[in-house]
mmCIF file of all heavy atoms in Angstrom:
data_model
loop_
_atom_site.group_PDB
_atom_site.id
_atom_site.type_symbol
_atom_site.label_atom_id
_atom_site.label_comp_id
_atom_site.label_asym_id
_atom_site.label_seq_id
_atom_site.Cartn_x
_atom_site.Cartn_y
_atom_site.Cartn_z
ATOM 1 N N PRO A 372 -68.969 -6.452 6.504
ATOM 2 C CA PRO A 372 -69.393 -5.235 7.227
ATOM 3 C C PRO A 372 -68.281 -4.186 7.223
ATOM 4 O O PRO A 372 -67.106 -4.538 7.158
ATOM 5 C CB PRO A 372 -69.658 -5.734 8.647
ATOM 6 C CG PRO A 372 -68.911 -7.001 8.778
ATOM 7 C CD PRO A 372 -68.767 -7.593 7.408
ATOM 8 N N TYR A 373 -68.684 -2.921 7.283
ATOM 9 C CA TYR A 373 -67.708 -1.825 7.372
ATOM 10 C C TYR A 373 -67.245 -1.703 8.821
ATOM 11 O O TYR A 373 -68.061 -1.626 9.740
ATOM 12 C CB TYR A 373 -68.359 -0.520 6.908
ATOM 13 C CG TYR A 373 -67.602 0.727 7.306
ATOM 14 C CD1 TYR A 373 -66.393 1.050 6.696
ATOM 15 C CD2 TYR A 373 -68.088 1.570 8.294
ATOM 16 C CE1 TYR A 373 -65.689 2.187 7.068
ATOM 17 C CE2 TYR A 373 -67.396 2.721 8.672
ATOM 18 C CZ TYR A 373 -66.192 3.017 8.049
ATOM 19 O OH TYR A 373 -65.502 4.130 8.415
ATOM 20 N N GLU A 374 -65.926 -1.710 9.012
ATOM 21 C CA GLU A 374 -65.387 -1.534 10.361
ATOM 22 C C GLU A 374 -64.567 -0.267 10.398
ATOM 23 O O GLU A 374 -63.523 -0.180 9.745
ATOM 24 C CB GLU A 374 -64.524 -2.738 10.751
ATOM 25 C CG GLU A 374 -65.380 -3.885 11.251
ATOM 26 C CD GLU A 374 -64.698 -5.229 11.141
ATOM 27 O OE1 GLU A 374 -63.468 -5.258 11.043
ATOM 28 O OE2 GLU A 374 -65.421 -6.236 11.146
ATOM 29 N N PRO A 375 -65.048 0.767 11.144
ATOM 30 C CA PRO A 375 -64.347 2.052 11.118
ATOM 31 C C PRO A 375 -62.924 1.922 11.649
ATOM 32 O O PRO A 375 -62.705 1.325 12.705
ATOM 33 C CB PRO A 375 -65.177 2.945 12.043
ATOM 34 C CG PRO A 375 -66.416 2.196 12.349
ATOM 35 C CD PRO A 375 -66.202 0.760 12.047
ATOM 36 N N LEU A 376 -61.992 2.457 10.893
ATOM 37 C CA LEU A 376 -60.589 2.473 11.302
ATOM 38 C C LEU A 376 -60.361 3.807 12.003
ATOM 39 O O LEU A 376 -60.469 4.864 11.377
ATOM 40 C CB LEU A 376 -59.725 2.366 10.033
ATOM 41 C CG LEU A 376 -58.249 2.089 10.173
ATOM 42 C CD1 LEU A 376 -58.002 0.810 10.958
ATOM 43 C CD2 LEU A 376 -57.630 1.971 8.768
ATOM 44 N N LYS A 377 -60.085 3.744 13.312
ATOM 45 C CA LYS A 377 -60.019 4.996 14.078
ATOM 46 C C LYS A 377 -58.579 5.501 14.160
ATOM 47 O O LYS A 377 -57.870 5.218 15.107
ATOM 48 C CB LYS A 377 -60.660 4.788 15.446
ATOM 49 C CG LYS A 377 -62.156 4.531 15.255
ATOM 50 C CD LYS A 377 -62.859 3.898 16.391
ATOM 51 C CE LYS A 377 -64.262 3.495 15.913
ATOM 52 N NZ LYS A 377 -65.020 2.750 16.858
ATOM 53 N N LEU A 378 -58.178 6.237 13.154
ATOM 54 C CA LEU A 378 -56.791 6.703 13.078
ATOM 55 C C LEU A 378 -56.588 8.051 13.759
ATOM 56 O O LEU A 378 -55.473 8.525 13.867
ATOM 57 C CB LEU A 378 -56.361 6.821 11.609
ATOM 58 C CG LEU A 378 -56.353 5.519 10.807
ATOM 59 C CD1 LEU A 378 -55.936 5.783 9.369
ATOM 60 C CD2 LEU A 378 -55.416 4.506 11.442
ATOM 61 N N GLY A 379 -57.688 8.691 14.189
ATOM 62 C CA GLY A 379 -57.594 10.009 14.818
ATOM 63 C C GLY A 379 -57.796 11.120 13.814
ATOM 64 O O GLY A 379 -57.959 10.869 12.612
ATOM 65 N N GLU A 380 -57.787 12.351 14.324
ATOM 66 C CA GLU A 380 -58.057 13.510 13.473
ATOM 67 C C GLU A 380 -57.080 14.629 13.775
ATOM 68 O O GLU A 380 -56.496 14.668 14.866
ATOM 69 C CB GLU A 380 -59.490 13.998 13.727
ATOM 70 C CG GLU A 380 -60.544 12.991 13.303
ATOM 71 C CD GLU A 380 -61.838 13.156 14.069
ATOM 72 O OE1 GLU A 380 -62.304 14.299 14.173
ATOM 73 O OE2 GLU A 380 -62.352 12.154 14.577
ATOM 74 N N LEU A 381 -56.939 15.555 12.832
ATOM 75 C CA LEU A 381 -56.027 16.693 12.996
ATOM 76 C C LEU A 381 -56.717 17.963 12.524
ATOM 77 O O LEU A 381 -57.397 17.949 11.500
ATOM 78 C CB LEU A 381 -54.756 16.464 12.167
ATOM 79 C CG LEU A 381 -53.859 15.326 12.665
ATOM 80 C CD1 LEU A 381 -53.023 14.766 11.524
ATOM 81 C CD2 LEU A 381 -52.952 15.819 13.792
ATOM 82 N N VAL A 382 -56.537 19.033 13.274
ATOM 83 C CA VAL A 382 -57.207 20.302 12.953
ATOM 84 C C VAL A 382 -56.183 21.428 13.036
ATOM 85 O O VAL A 382 -55.466 21.535 14.037
ATOM 86 C CB VAL A 382 -58.348 20.574 13.974
ATOM 87 C CG1 VAL A 382 -58.979 21.926 13.722
ATOM 88 C CG2 VAL A 382 -59.398 19.483 13.894
ATOM 89 N N SER A 383 -56.106 22.270 12.008
ATOM 90 C CA SER A 383 -55.158 23.388 12.061
ATOM 91 C C SER A 383 -55.805 24.588 12.744
ATOM 92 O O SER A 383 -57.023 24.758 12.712
ATOM 93 C CB SER A 383 -54.702 23.766 10.648
ATOM 94 O OG SER A 383 -55.802 24.258 9.913
ATOM 95 N N LEU A 384 -54.958 25.400 13.365
ATOM 96 C CA LEU A 384 -55.450 26.621 14.037
ATOM 97 C C LEU A 384 -54.599 27.779 13.539
ATOM 98 O O LEU A 384 -53.780 28.333 14.273
ATOM 99 C CB LEU A 384 -55.320 26.474 15.554
ATOM 100 C CG LEU A 384 -56.151 25.351 16.175
ATOM 101 C CD1 LEU A 384 -55.715 25.075 17.601
ATOM 102 C CD2 LEU A 384 -57.638 25.705 16.135
ATOM 103 N N GLY A 385 -54.749 28.095 12.267
ATOM 104 C CA GLY A 385 -53.879 29.090 11.658
ATOM 105 C C GLY A 385 -52.709 28.389 11.006
ATOM 106 O O GLY A 385 -52.570 27.157 11.091
ATOM 107 N N PRO A 386 -51.842 29.186 10.345
ATOM 108 C CA PRO A 386 -50.773 28.581 9.550
ATOM 109 C C PRO A 386 -49.679 27.904 10.364
ATOM 110 O O PRO A 386 -48.881 27.149 9.822
ATOM 111 C CB PRO A 386 -50.201 29.754 8.755
ATOM 112 C CG PRO A 386 -50.810 30.994 9.274
ATOM 113 C CD PRO A 386 -51.902 30.650 10.230
ATOM 114 N N HIS A 387 -49.609 28.180 11.678
ATOM 115 C CA HIS A 387 -48.446 27.688 12.437
ATOM 116 C C HIS A 387 -48.785 26.722 13.562
ATOM 117 O O HIS A 387 -47.941 26.417 14.391
ATOM 118 C CB HIS A 387 -47.669 28.878 13.040
ATOM 119 C CG HIS A 387 -47.332 29.907 12.021
ATOM 120 N ND1 HIS A 387 -46.530 29.628 10.945
ATOM 121 C CD2 HIS A 387 -47.721 31.203 11.890
ATOM 122 C CE1 HIS A 387 -46.432 30.707 10.193
ATOM 123 N NE2 HIS A 387 -47.146 31.672 10.739
ATOM 124 N N TYR A 388 -50.029 26.268 13.641
ATOM 125 C CA TYR A 388 -50.385 25.460 14.792
ATOM 126 C C TYR A 388 -51.493 24.466 14.416
ATOM 127 O O TYR A 388 -52.316 24.748 13.540
ATOM 128 C CB TYR A 388 -50.866 26.360 15.937
ATOM 129 C CG TYR A 388 -50.766 25.724 17.293
ATOM 130 C CD1 TYR A 388 -49.603 25.824 18.052
ATOM 131 C CD2 TYR A 388 -51.824 24.988 17.815
ATOM 132 C CE1 TYR A 388 -49.502 25.224 19.288
ATOM 133 C CE2 TYR A 388 -51.738 24.386 19.059
ATOM 134 C CZ TYR A 388 -50.567 24.517 19.790
ATOM 135 O OH TYR A 388 -50.467 23.923 21.020
ATOM 136 N N ALA A 389 -51.478 23.322 15.072
ATOM 137 C CA ALA A 389 -52.562 22.347 14.875
ATOM 138 C C ALA A 389 -52.731 21.534 16.149
ATOM 139 O O ALA A 389 -51.834 21.510 17.009
ATOM 140 C CB ALA A 389 -52.245 21.429 13.702
ATOM 141 N N VAL A 390 -53.882 20.917 16.288
ATOM 142 C CA VAL A 390 -54.104 19.964 17.381
ATOM 143 C C VAL A 390 -54.707 18.696 16.776
ATOM 144 O O VAL A 390 -55.277 18.736 15.685
ATOM 145 C CB VAL A 390 -55.060 20.496 18.481
ATOM 146 C CG1 VAL A 390 -54.487 21.685 19.196
ATOM 147 C CG2 VAL A 390 -56.436 20.809 17.913
ATOM 148 N N GLY A 391 -54.573 17.612 17.489
ATOM 149 C CA GLY A 391 -55.152 16.387 16.964
ATOM 150 C C GLY A 391 -54.936 15.215 17.895
ATOM 151 O O GLY A 391 -54.354 15.365 18.979
ATOM 152 N N ASN A 392 -55.423 14.052 17.463
ATOM 153 C CA ASN A 392 -55.227 12.841 18.269
ATOM 154 C C ASN A 392 -54.887 11.665 17.370
ATOM 155 O O ASN A 392 -55.597 10.661 17.344
ATOM 156 C CB ASN A 392 -56.473 12.548 19.127
ATOM 157 C CG ASN A 392 -57.706 12.329 18.283
ATOM 158 O OD1 ASN A 392 -57.677 12.529 17.072
ATOM 159 N ND2 ASN A 392 -58.781 11.896 18.905
ATOM 160 N N PRO A 393 -53.771 11.774 16.602
ATOM 161 C CA PRO A 393 -53.425 10.646 15.740
ATOM 162 C C PRO A 393 -53.239 9.377 16.561
ATOM 163 O O PRO A 393 -52.560 9.400 17.589
ATOM 164 C CB PRO A 393 -52.117 11.100 15.068
ATOM 165 C CG PRO A 393 -51.601 12.232 15.897
ATOM 166 C CD PRO A 393 -52.778 12.859 16.563
ATOM 167 N N LEU A 394 -53.875 8.318 16.115
ATOM 168 C CA LEU A 394 -53.873 7.021 16.814
ATOM 169 C C LEU A 394 -54.286 7.156 18.289
ATOM 170 O O LEU A 394 -53.838 6.415 19.147
ATOM 171 C CB LEU A 394 -52.493 6.353 16.711
ATOM 172 C CG LEU A 394 -52.023 6.075 15.272
ATOM 173 C CD1 LEU A 394 -50.610 5.514 15.251
ATOM 174 C CD2 LEU A 394 -52.970 5.123 14.554
ATOM 175 N N GLY A 395 -55.106 8.174 18.554
ATOM 176 C CA GLY A 395 -55.653 8.358 19.903
ATOM 177 C C GLY A 395 -54.751 9.141 20.839
ATOM 178 O O GLY A 395 -55.104 9.359 22.001
ATOM 179 N N LEU A 396 -53.584 9.595 20.366
ATOM 180 C CA LEU A 396 -52.660 10.310 21.250
ATOM 181 C C LEU A 396 -52.798 11.817 21.071
ATOM 182 O O LEU A 396 -52.615 12.314 19.954
ATOM 183 C CB LEU A 396 -51.205 9.915 20.929
ATOM 184 C CG LEU A 396 -50.865 8.441 21.074
ATOM 185 C CD1 LEU A 396 -49.477 8.159 20.537
ATOM 186 C CD2 LEU A 396 -50.961 8.035 22.549
ATOM 187 N N PRO A 397 -53.094 12.557 22.151
ATOM 188 C CA PRO A 397 -53.216 14.010 22.019
ATOM 189 C C PRO A 397 -51.916 14.606 21.484
ATOM 190 O O PRO A 397 -50.828 14.250 21.946
ATOM 191 C CB PRO A 397 -53.481 14.488 23.447
ATOM 192 C CG PRO A 397 -54.009 13.303 24.165
ATOM 193 C CD PRO A 397 -53.368 12.109 23.523
ATOM 194 N N MET A 398 -52.020 15.494 20.514
ATOM 195 C CA MET A 398 -50.818 16.089 19.920
ATOM 196 C C MET A 398 -51.117 17.551 19.591
ATOM 197 O O MET A 398 -52.211 17.877 19.133
ATOM 198 C CB MET A 398 -50.469 15.326 18.640
ATOM 199 C CG MET A 398 -49.150 15.745 18.033
ATOM 200 S SD MET A 398 -48.871 14.928 16.445
ATOM 201 C CE MET A 398 -48.103 13.435 16.982
ATOM 202 N N THR A 399 -50.161 18.436 19.863
ATOM 203 C CA THR A 399 -50.366 19.862 19.585
ATOM 204 C C THR A 399 -49.122 20.423 18.889
ATOM 205 O O THR A 399 -48.079 19.768 18.830
ATOM 206 C CB THR A 399 -50.581 20.664 20.892
ATOM 207 O OG1 THR A 399 -49.438 20.449 21.724
ATOM 208 C CG2 THR A 399 -51.833 20.247 21.635
ATOM 209 N N GLY A 400 -49.254 21.665 18.409
ATOM 210 C CA GLY A 400 -48.108 22.409 17.888
ATOM 211 C C GLY A 400 -47.604 21.919 16.541
ATOM 212 O O GLY A 400 -48.346 21.348 15.743
ATOM 213 N N TYR A 401 -46.283 22.106 16.328
ATOM 214 C CA TYR A 401 -45.699 21.789 15.021
ATOM 215 C C TYR A 401 -45.837 20.319 14.619
ATOM 216 O O TYR A 401 -46.144 20.022 13.464
ATOM 217 C CB TYR A 401 -44.232 22.223 14.980
ATOM 218 C CG TYR A 401 -44.076 23.657 14.525
ATOM 219 C CD1 TYR A 401 -43.585 24.636 15.375
ATOM 220 C CD2 TYR A 401 -44.437 24.031 13.229
ATOM 221 C CE1 TYR A 401 -43.471 25.951 14.963
ATOM 222 C CE2 TYR A 401 -44.320 25.349 12.806
ATOM 223 C CZ TYR A 401 -43.827 26.301 13.676
ATOM 224 O OH TYR A 401 -43.718 27.593 13.260
ATOM 225 N N PRO A 402 -45.608 19.370 15.555
ATOM 226 C CA PRO A 402 -45.756 17.962 15.125
ATOM 227 C C PRO A 402 -47.141 17.700 14.526
ATOM 228 O O PRO A 402 -47.268 17.037 13.498
ATOM 229 C CB PRO A 402 -45.550 17.172 16.428
ATOM 230 C CG PRO A 402 -44.730 18.073 17.286
ATOM 231 C CD PRO A 402 -45.151 19.473 16.950
ATOM 232 N N ALA A 403 -48.170 18.252 15.191
ATOM 233 C CA ALA A 403 -49.533 18.049 14.671
ATOM 234 C C ALA A 403 -49.699 18.751 13.323
ATOM 235 O O ALA A 403 -50.352 18.232 12.411
ATOM 236 C CB ALA A 403 -50.560 18.566 15.677
ATOM 237 N N LEU A 404 -49.096 19.933 13.195
ATOM 238 C CA LEU A 404 -49.215 20.688 11.942
ATOM 239 C C LEU A 404 -48.542 19.941 10.790
ATOM 240 O O LEU A 404 -49.106 19.806 9.703
ATOM 241 C CB LEU A 404 -48.573 22.067 12.112
ATOM 242 C CG LEU A 404 -48.787 23.037 10.950
ATOM 243 C CD1 LEU A 404 -50.251 23.430 10.826
ATOM 244 C CD2 LEU A 404 -47.931 24.281 11.125
#
Side-chain angles (χ1 to χ4, degrees):
Y373 164 72
E374 278 158 20
L376 192 56
K377 294 161 190 174
L378 297 179
E380 295 155 48
L381 292 155
V382 176
S383 65
L384 297 167
H387 308 298
Y388 202 88
V390 296
N392 60 352
L394 300 176
L396 300 172
M398 187 186 273
T399 58
Y401 272 114
L404 188 67

